[in-house]
Amino acid sequence: MSNMTSDLTTLLDEHHKIKTRLDLVNERKASAEKEVQRYSSEAADLERRAEDVAKDIVAVMKEKSPVL
């Protein structure tokens, strides 16, 4: 019986270690996903701004040089 108790204790300890590590990994994963979302949002905003400025450049060029 003592051997079974020892085996169970070992397994329970291992299970606890795994669950603790899993919690930490999941927290880091959630944090990383939020960071990716922030960068994706910023990238989309920068792309829109770059397109707007490119349109402004073309408009100014057409205004200054009617040949275009």
Side-chain angles (χ1 to χ4, degrees), residues 26-41:
N26 282 333
E27 287 175 16
R28 288 183 178 171
K29 178 183 171 192
S31 177
E33 287 170 348
K34 287 178 185 175
E35 188 171 359
V36 166
Q37 186 176 8
R38 279 194 303 273
Y39 280 120
S40 295
S41 177

Side-chain angles (χ1 to χ4, degrees), residues 58-68:
V58 170
V60 167
M61 288 174 64
K62 284 183 179 181
E63 181 182 310
K64 302 294 180 187
S65 177
V67 177
L68 298 174

Side-chain angles (χ1 to χ4, degrees), residues 47-64:
E47 286 177 14
R48 281 190 298 275
R49 288 173 53 198
E51 289 173 8
D52 290 345
V53 171
K55 289 176 187 175
D56 291 344
I57 291 169
V58 170
V60 167
M61 288 174 64
K62 284 183 179 181
E63 181 182 310
K64 302 294 180 187

Side-chain angles (χ1 to χ4, degrees), residues 2-17:
S2 174
N3 192 20
M4 184 177 83
T5 302
S6 175
D7 290 346
L8 285 174
T9 300
T10 300
L11 291 171
L12 287 169
D13 287 346
E14 182 66 18
H15 183 264
H16 177 72
K17 288 176 188 174

